[in-house]
């Protein structure tokens, strides 16, 4: 009997040890899950608190529900605050279509001097719509114009002022390697004095201040259009740096340094998922579109100085928008666009002619810099 009692005790000891080990394991799992949950919660509160959260976009301008998982369309704008005026203009306007299904990204550049008509006020240029529309949520003024006149759906927006731009480049520790395709000469609007900051085309190491001067310069023979080309090279250089030197986690860390200058309707987790998607897209499938426009200098009635405007070439715009910005959607003809095809009323003091269009992948741009 004593022997049997001894065997039962050993068995109980083994079962007890198993229970202890199992309980310790479950305790460790619980602690790990708790820590992960706490970090996620704190990270969510931290990053969400850093982002300037804008109002949501109206549902009637968003991508159709049946395409929700296949396409995401984002309006990206650089806001220009000038001390000489009380309102802000959109100095940079880019419509970005993310074809998630086919792993493609298309960026359609809309020049700031694009003429959209006098009915919206602000001189009739698209860059003034932001501050001269009727809606309190100012970005919706521009969203509505792009949706109504070009028939483009918009799911999200990102606006950033130039401090964000400078901070983003300065967050790159050693500076950004950027190819500049033209010499850059700045011209003071008040004095007319010129200063050359880039003497010849080539690769340069730029900080935020220098990069801003380069991409915002308009002192070219074909000012607004050549500036778009320079900006394309900047985007290619930035994408090259991010994809070759960072992962998504690093990208979020860099982004956290300038979020106070950025406003978006997206939650940071949505931004992270789109960044993850962007990191998976090949350079050959990232396209930057610069459409053709007809440039004029026009002296409007009752004014003393001519204004420069760029008029949309509807046939070509329709072709490019259908091919690159309406993936999986019904195409629209030139007649279905609602853009002006003539300059504003007044005396045309100079006809600049039609600018050349371009469709270049990031791979194309980077390959050109090797020549």
């Amino acid at each position: 009997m004593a022997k049997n009692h001894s065997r039962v005790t050993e068995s109980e000891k083994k079962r007890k040890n198993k229970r202890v080990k199992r309980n310790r394991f479950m305790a460790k799992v619980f602690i790990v899950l708790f820590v992960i949950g706490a970090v996620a919660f704190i990270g969510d509160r931290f990053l969400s608190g850093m982002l300037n959260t804008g109002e949501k976009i109206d549902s009637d301008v968003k991508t159709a529900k049946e395409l929700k998982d296949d396409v995401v369309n984002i309006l990206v704008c650089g806001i220009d605050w000038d001390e000489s005026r009380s309102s802000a203009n959109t100095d940079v306007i880019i419509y970005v279509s993310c074809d998630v299904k086919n792993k493609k990204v298309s960026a359609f550049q809309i020049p700031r001097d694009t003429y959209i008509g006098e009915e919206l006020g602000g001189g009739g240029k698209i860059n003034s719509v932001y501050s001269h529309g009727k809606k309190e949520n100012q970005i919706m003024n521009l969203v509505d114009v792009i949706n109504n006149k070009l028939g483009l759906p918009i799911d999200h927006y990102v606006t950033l002022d130039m401090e964000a731009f400078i901070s983003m480049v300065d967050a790159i520790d050693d500076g950004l390697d950027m190819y500049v395709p033209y010499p850059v000469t700045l011209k003071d609007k008040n004095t007319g004095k010129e200063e050359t900051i880039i003497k010849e085309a080539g690769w340069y190491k730029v900080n935020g201040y220098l990069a801003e001067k380069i991409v915002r310069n308009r002192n070219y023979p074909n000012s607004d259009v050549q500036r778009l080309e320079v900006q394309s090279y900047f985007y290619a250089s930035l994408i090259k740096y991010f994809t070759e030197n960072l992962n998504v986690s690093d990208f979020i860390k860099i982004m956290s340094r300038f979020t106070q200058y950025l406003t978006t309707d997206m939650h940071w987790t949505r931004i992270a998922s789109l960044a993850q998607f962007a990191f998976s897209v090949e350079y050959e499938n990232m396209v930057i579109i610069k459409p053709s426009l007809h440039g004029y200098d026009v002296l409007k009635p009752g004014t003393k100085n001519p204004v420069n405007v760029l008029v949309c070439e509807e046939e070509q715009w329709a072709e490019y928008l259908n091919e690159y910005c309406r993936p999986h959607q019904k195409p629209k003809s030139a007649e279905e666009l609602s853009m002006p095809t003539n300059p504003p009323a007044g005396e045309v003091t100079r006809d600049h002619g039609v600018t050349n269009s371009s469709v270049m992948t990031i791979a194309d741009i980077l390959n050109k810099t090797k020549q």
Side-chain angles (χ1 to χ4, degrees), residues 166-317:
I166 294 170
S167 297
M168 177 173 58
V169 177
D170 283 341
I172 300 171
D173 294 332
D174 298 324
L176 176 68
D177 289 314
M178 176 184 176
Y179 186 85
V180 185
Y182 303 109
V184 178
T185 300
L186 307 180
K187 185 175 182 179
D188 189 287
K189 290 188 295 184
N190 299 319
T191 65
K193 183 179 179 180
E194 293 190 338
E195 176 191 4
T196 299
I197 60 173
I198 299 293
K199 293 183 178 181
E200 59 184 7
W203 282 96
Y204 293 87
K205 184 81 73 173
V206 299
N207 58 17
Y209 174 80
L210 183 57
E212 182 209 6
K213 296 300 181 185
I214 293 170
V215 302
R216 296 189 69 189
N217 180 52
R218 302 178 71 203
N219 190 27
Y220 301 111
N222 202 340
S223 61
D224 216 28
V225 176
Q226 279 182 271
R227 187 175 77 149
L228 291 185
E229 187 177 348
V230 172
Q231 290 173 356
S232 295
Y233 281 87
F234 170 76
Y235 303 144
S237 299
L238 199 64
I239 289 169
K240 183 177 187 294
Y241 173 79
F242 280 150
T243 56
E244 294 183 4
N245 296 279
L246 307 177
N247 55 35
V248 175
S249 176
D250 295 327
F251 173 78
I252 295 297
K253 289 176 184 177
I254 283 184
M255 192 186 76
S256 69
R257 301 184 192 181
F258 61 90
T259 49
Q260 66 266 37
Y261 308 115
L262 178 151
T263 300
T264 181
D265 66 324
M266 290 185 280
H267 190 269
W268 73 267
T269 54
R270 179 62 159 167
I271 296 172
S273 68
L274 286 172
Q276 183 72 58
F277 159 73
F279 272 69
S280 71
V281 179
E282 300 292 336
Y283 289 163
E284 291 79 6
N285 292 324
M286 294 183 179
V287 178
I288 299 179
I289 304 107
K290 176 170 68 70
S292 62
L293 300 109
H294 197 142
Y296 300 92
D297 288 343
V298 181
L299 185 63
K300 293 183 178 182
T303 62
K304 296 180 179 180
N305 298 310
V307 61
N308 178 256
V309 296
L310 297 170
V311 177
C312 161
E313 293 286 293
E314 278 193 316
E315 289 288 344
Q316 194 225 48
W317 277 52

Side-chain angles (χ1 to χ4, degrees), residues 82-94:
D82 191 323
E83 294 179 358
S84 64
R85 60 175 183 263
S86 58
S87 60
N89 285 344
T90 44
D91 197 50
V92 175
I93 304 171
I94 308 174

